[in-house]
Amino acid sequence: MTVVVETTEIYAHDFHLAVFGSIRPILCAPEYVRRMRRHYYFDIEKILNWDEEKKNKLIDFLVEVVSAPNFYDEDFEFWLEEVERKLQELKVFEEFNRLKGYLERIDQKQREKIVDIAVNRIMSSIDTILREFVYQMPSVDEKSLKELFVVGSMLRVVRRLLEYYRRSRDKKILTLATVLILRFAAYVRGKIGINDLMRDMSISVSHLREGILSDDTFGDIVCNMQQIPT
């Protein structure tokens, strides 16, 4: 078991929140939805109380979609659409699917508020995982250090994308962050390797440096990648 896998098991709540909340932001805002007096809250509560087996079954399904051999043949928007298309075919996750329609039907102001709450909570979950990575670094072997460098750098890119979304409301940026979170989950589940994550990050950083990733952040990530043991 790798250090990253161990960390996501220890912080399973944060891991699940980041993955599920990126697909269904409304899951991150149960208190807000309850104050709205919407019946949607009951589906949210039901999903949050799923047992670990069902949560893991959904994660396994999601990562299977984004681990396709032809992943790099399509853009990130295609893969998010593919996730939604395949989700709609599954009755076992019916309440999860219903949340998409709920979010689309409420007014724009409320929808933006829910997405903002979700982005903040996902960033907080990422911060929790990153702090554990930093804590683990001094005591791990060279192979684990490489893993922590790559996965940690990728999560920092995701976090910066989410920060940028809060300022820009650019839905394409949110889509990119969502797919990268799913790819992180695919790595945790052993569906893709460390080199795949490095390629994901390289593609993302090269396209997003201008206006999104500051020079300092870009330099830190490049520096980290250069220090990765080979």
Side-chain angles (χ1 to χ4, degrees), residues 50-112:
W50 278 352
D51 59 31
E52 292 300 304
E53 182 180 357
K54 190 163 185 178
K55 288 178 181 177
N56 287 329
K57 187 174 182 180
L58 177 54
I59 286 181
D60 288 342
F61 168 80
L62 294 172
V63 303
E64 193 70 38
V65 177
V66 299
S67 302
N70 64 326
F71 179 79
Y72 294 109
D73 294 342
E74 306 289 350
D75 61 28
F76 284 3
E77 288 185 3
F78 169 86
W79 289 113
L80 192 54
E81 290 170 0
E82 190 72 357
V83 165
E84 291 292 357
R85 184 182 70 79
K86 293 191 174 184
L87 269 174
Q88 297 303 319
E89 298 173 357
L90 300 177
K91 290 186 178 180
V92 67
F93 302 124
E94 184 178 357
E95 59 265 40
F96 189 82
N97 287 333
R98 282 199 296 265
L99 294 184
K100 184 175 188 291
Y102 294 162
L103 190 63
E104 290 171 348
R105 285 196 291 272
I106 61 180
D107 68 62
Q108 183 177 348
K109 186 175 181 180
Q110 290 176 322
R111 185 163 59 248
E112 288 182 353

Side-chain angles (χ1 to χ4, degrees), residues 40-224:
Y40 314 156
Y41 174 76
F42 298 106
D43 271 344
I44 295 172
E45 188 175 47
K46 185 176 180 180
I47 294 166
L48 293 176
N49 289 321
W50 278 352
D51 59 31
E52 292 300 304
E53 182 180 357
K54 190 163 185 178
K55 288 178 181 177
N56 287 329
K57 187 174 182 180
L58 177 54
I59 286 181
D60 288 342
F61 168 80
L62 294 172
V63 303
E64 193 70 38
V65 177
V66 299
S67 302
N70 64 326
F71 179 79
Y72 294 109
D73 294 342
E74 306 289 350
D75 61 28
F76 284 3
E77 288 185 3
F78 169 86
W79 289 113
L80 192 54
E81 290 170 0
E82 190 72 357
V83 165
E84 291 292 357
R85 184 182 70 79
K86 293 191 174 184
L87 269 174
Q88 297 303 319
E89 298 173 357
L90 300 177
K91 290 186 178 180
V92 67
F93 302 124
E94 184 178 357
E95 59 265 40
F96 189 82
N97 287 333
R98 282 199 296 265
L99 294 184
K100 184 175 188 291
Y102 294 162
L103 190 63
E104 290 171 348
R105 285 196 291 272
I106 61 180
D107 68 62
Q108 183 177 348
K109 186 175 181 180
Q110 290 176 322
R111 185 163 59 248
E112 288 182 353
K113 176 65 175 178
I114 286 171
V115 173
D116 283 346
I117 292 171
V119 166
N120 288 338
R121 291 196 169 177
I122 291 169
M123 288 171 62
S124 178
S125 292
I126 289 173
D127 287 343
T128 297
I129 293 170
L130 285 173
R131 280 195 296 270
E132 181 63 19
F133 287 174
V134 171
Y135 175 77
Q136 292 285 348
M137 278 184 173
S139 60
V140 299
D141 59 24
E142 196 171 85
K143 182 178 179 180
S144 296
L145 186 60
K146 173 180 178 178
E147 180 187 36
L148 292 175
F149 263 126
V150 174
V151 180
S153 294
M154 184 179 185
L155 290 179
R156 288 184 66 201
V157 170
V158 172
R159 197 185 189 289
R160 186 52 61 95
L161 291 172
L162 294 175
E163 289 175 350
Y164 182 79
Y165 169 78
R166 291 194 304 186
R167 300 194 304 271
S168 69
R169 302 294 179 184
D170 186 335
K171 292 183 180 179
K172 289 185 178 180
I173 297 302
L174 198 57
T175 294
L176 175 55
T178 297
V179 175
L180 289 178
I181 288 170
L182 294 179
R183 290 283 281 181
F184 163 62
Y187 174 78
V188 171
R189 285 293 194 264
K191 293 295 183 179
I192 61 175
I194 201 74
N195 290 334
D196 296 304
L197 286 191
M198 290 181 71
R199 187 174 179 186
D200 292 346
M201 187 165 55
S202 177
I203 291 171
S204 302
V205 170
S206 64
H207 282 84
L208 298 172
R209 183 182 183 186
E210 187 67 29
I212 298 177
L213 298 174
S214 69
D215 287 341
D216 288 343
T217 301
F218 182 84
D220 288 347
I221 291 169
V222 170
C223 182
N224 282 348

